[in-house]
Amino acid sequence: MTDKELKLETKCYDASEYGYLYGLNKKIPDDEFEKVKKYMRNFRRKDFIDGIIKVTGRPEGYRCLEKDVGKVEEILGIENTLEKRREKIRTAMEDPIKKANLMDNTYNWINTLFKQGGIRPKQNLSRLAVHATKIYDPQDSFKNGCENGEGSLFIYTPHGMWYIINNCSKNSDLSLNNVESDYGGAIGYRLMYDDTLDTLIRIYCEENLYSGEKLY
């Protein structure tokens, strides 16, 4: 089995100050790390404005800001750069057919990851919203459909990433719900933060943040 290709990946999202912080996806020799150490910072909880109550992911460890990603990649000779990955997504999104295929595949991956690997603890939607670092609403589905028991949300919290599927329309099976809400309940899956999952969610939602009525 070959070693995975070296790259920088998102390690966490800080809603208060830093935005996304990046780290290497695997350990490298100390002499190589020394070359990029000046662009990295060994983050601890105390380095964040509110501790880590507004951070999703793994904030502790050597991380770099987005503005320094290119410098670290160049020094380490990383070929699978953040910009190349983003350009690939941008190109696909500009072609209607490629975009439709990408969206379908992304949606399938998200469902598989959350439904096969996620857990379903009991929770309250307003409580999740209060502690959220950000909330995505794909195509404003929840904003426009919540009153009818429809729509979905992706909620980033310090304890993980939630996939919320509104499930309180007239024909819904309410016994499936594990998330309480003012609308009648929803199905919720939680996974720990992961760079790939975060990318999939951002593609599928097209970075569309929830803009409906306050959820708490």
Side-chain angles (χ1 to χ4, degrees):
M1 186 174 178
T2 57
D3 285 341
K4 56 185 177 182
E5 184 183 19
L6 182 64
K7 68 174 183 177
L8 278 170
E9 61 184 14
T10 56
K11 294 296 185 181
C12 68
Y13 174 76
D14 170 35
S16 299
E17 183 178 8
Y18 298 111
Y20 280 101
L21 291 175
Y22 296 78
L24 295 167
N25 66 332
K26 64 178 182 178
K27 186 173 174 56
I28 60 174
D30 291 343
D31 59 333
E32 285 292 294
F33 185 72
E34 283 298 322
K35 297 176 183 177
V36 296
K37 195 172 180 179
K38 65 180 179 180
Y39 297 113
M40 313 285 282
R41 177 175 169 182
N42 193 8
F43 278 90
R44 293 290 180 259
R45 290 173 183 240
K46 63 180 176 59
D47 297 317
F48 297 88
I49 289 176
D50 300 312
I52 57 170
I53 62 171
K54 282 295 181 182
V55 178
T56 299
R58 294 164 291 166
E60 295 177 292
Y62 279 98
R63 311 284 181 245
C64 75
L65 301 174
E66 188 161 321
K67 68 181 181 67
D68 294 320
V69 165
K71 298 167 191 169
V72 174
E73 290 173 333
E74 184 177 3
I75 292 169
L76 294 178
I78 293 174
E79 295 185 1
N80 185 11
T81 66
L82 177 64
E83 182 53 35
K84 282 181 181 177
R85 300 198 299 272
R86 286 180 171 173
E87 180 58 31
K88 190 175 180 180
I89 294 168
R90 281 195 294 266
T91 300
M93 296 294 270
E94 289 170 358
D95 183 302
I97 296 175
K98 288 181 179 178
K99 179 179 178 179
N101 289 333
L102 178 61
M103 288 300 207
D104 285 344
N105 290 334
T106 300
Y107 176 74
N108 290 336
W109 269 110
I110 288 172
N111 270 281
T112 298
L113 290 169
F114 272 105
K115 293 179 180 180
Q116 291 187 7
I119 60 173
R120 297 186 56 209
K122 289 192 177 297
Q123 190 52 272
N124 184 285
L125 184 60
S126 63
R127 182 173 171 78
L128 287 176
V130 165
H131 295 287
T133 59
K134 63 177 169 180
I135 303 175
Y136 284 127
D137 184 5
Q139 298 181 328
D140 287 334
S141 65
F142 197 89
K143 176 182 177 180
N144 297 327
C146 58
E147 296 290 348
N148 299 318
E150 300 169 348
S152 61
L153 296 170
F154 293 92
I155 303 179
Y156 289 45
T157 75
H159 298 295
M161 307 163 83
W162 283 80
Y163 179 21
I164 302 295
I165 304 165
N166 210 7
N167 185 54
C168 49
S169 63
K170 288 181 180 179
N171 299 317
S172 295
D173 181 354
L174 302 183
S175 68
L176 298 174
N177 294 340
N178 60 302
V179 177
E180 297 177 7
S181 76
D182 292 340
Y183 304 105
I187 298 169
Y189 299 91
R190 190 185 81 192
L191 283 169
M192 298 305 289
Y193 181 85
D194 174 78
D195 172 75
T196 299
L197 180 61
D198 176 55
T199 300
L200 291 170
I201 291 172
R202 291 163 72 185
I203 291 171
Y204 178 65
C205 297
E206 298 184 72
E207 304 272 2
N208 186 57
L209 296 171
Y210 176 70
S211 61
E213 294 291 326
K214 229 178 185 182
L215 297 173
Y216 57 89

